[in-house]
């Protein structure tokens, strides 16, 4: 006889994340929990890509010492998380494999202007929005994941993700005037929410 399922906390019980215009839907939570293997594989990919974004920005703006110092720390931490997620894949017997990417990242990156001063601002804000959404969704996995140890792991990453998106906001606010930052942030946040309005058919961290 199967044991009765325990009631799960509602999505709305997770505090809203500043700058995200819409919270994640219950449909995404249901999809992610039903396909945790794919979500874990994709999570590893996300951590690797996040480290790459920080390294790329450091290479593009090597004379901005505050940016280089802050993003060095982010790149190191993202690679640590990449290794930790890979350890979970090994522990659970999940073989890494190539996954088709959802449109989320490509859509946001397409909004980054090619010329300065817009390019740096957009790069920082897009990275911050992705980190903010990651923070929210790892928190939801921490709430709903049926494996208690894996749920605890997801919750342990939340503070790091919050710190990362906070760093990107602070850098944007350092290099640009606040009204300019907030106006562009509102535009990009609307696009970020819009691309998630339709659930991607394949389970991903940002589906």
């Amino acid at each position: 006889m199967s044991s009765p399922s325990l009631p799960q906390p509602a999505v709305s019980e997770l505090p809203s994340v500043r700058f995200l215009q819409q919270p994640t839907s219950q449909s995404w939570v249901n999809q992610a929990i039903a396909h945790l293997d794919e979500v874990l594989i994709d999570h590893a990919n996300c951590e690797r890509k996040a480290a790459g974004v920080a390294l790329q920005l450091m290479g593009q703006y090597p004379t901005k010492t505050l940016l280089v110092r802050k993003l060095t720390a982010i790149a190191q931490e993202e690679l640590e998380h990449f290794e930790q997620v890979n350890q979970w894949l090994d522990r659970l017997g999940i073989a890494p494999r190539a996954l088709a990417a959802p449109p989320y990242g490509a859509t946001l990156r397409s909004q980054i202007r090619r010329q300065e001063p817009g390019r740096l601002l957009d790069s920082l804000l897009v990275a911050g929005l992705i980190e903010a959404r990651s923070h929210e969704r790892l928190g939801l996995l921490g709430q709903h994941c049926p494996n208690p140890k894996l749920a605890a792991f997801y919750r342990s990453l939340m503070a790091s993700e919050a710190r990362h998106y906070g760093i990107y906001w602070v850098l944007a606010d350092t290099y640009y005037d606040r009204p300019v930052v907030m106006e562009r942030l509102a535009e990009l946040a609307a696009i970020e929410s819009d691309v998630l309005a339709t659930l991607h058919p394949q389970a991903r961290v940002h589906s």
Side-chain angles (χ1 to χ4, degrees), residues 90-106:
D90 288 342
R91 194 174 301 148
L92 297 174
I94 303 170
R97 64 183 188 275
L99 296 177
Y104 180 84

Side-chain angles (χ1 to χ4, degrees), residues 66-132:
L66 177 64
L67 179 148
V68 170
R69 187 169 69 250
K70 295 293 187 182
L71 297 192
T72 295
I74 285 182
Q76 291 172 334
E77 195 162 32
E78 300 287 16
L79 287 174
E80 290 174 5
H81 294 168
F82 175 64
E83 172 59 21
Q84 290 170 359
V85 178
N86 277 301
Q87 289 174 2
W88 268 103
L89 291 172
D90 288 342
R91 194 174 301 148
L92 297 174
I94 303 170
R97 64 183 188 275
L99 296 177
Y104 180 84
T107 300
L108 288 177
R109 288 192 298 272
S110 73
Q111 301 302 312
I112 297 175
R113 290 168 286 184
R114 296 187 178 185
Q115 302 299 322
E116 301 296 354
R119 185 175 75 158
L120 176 57
L121 176 60
D122 291 355
S123 297
L124 293 171
L125 293 179
V126 164
L129 283 166
I130 294 172
E131 294 285 350

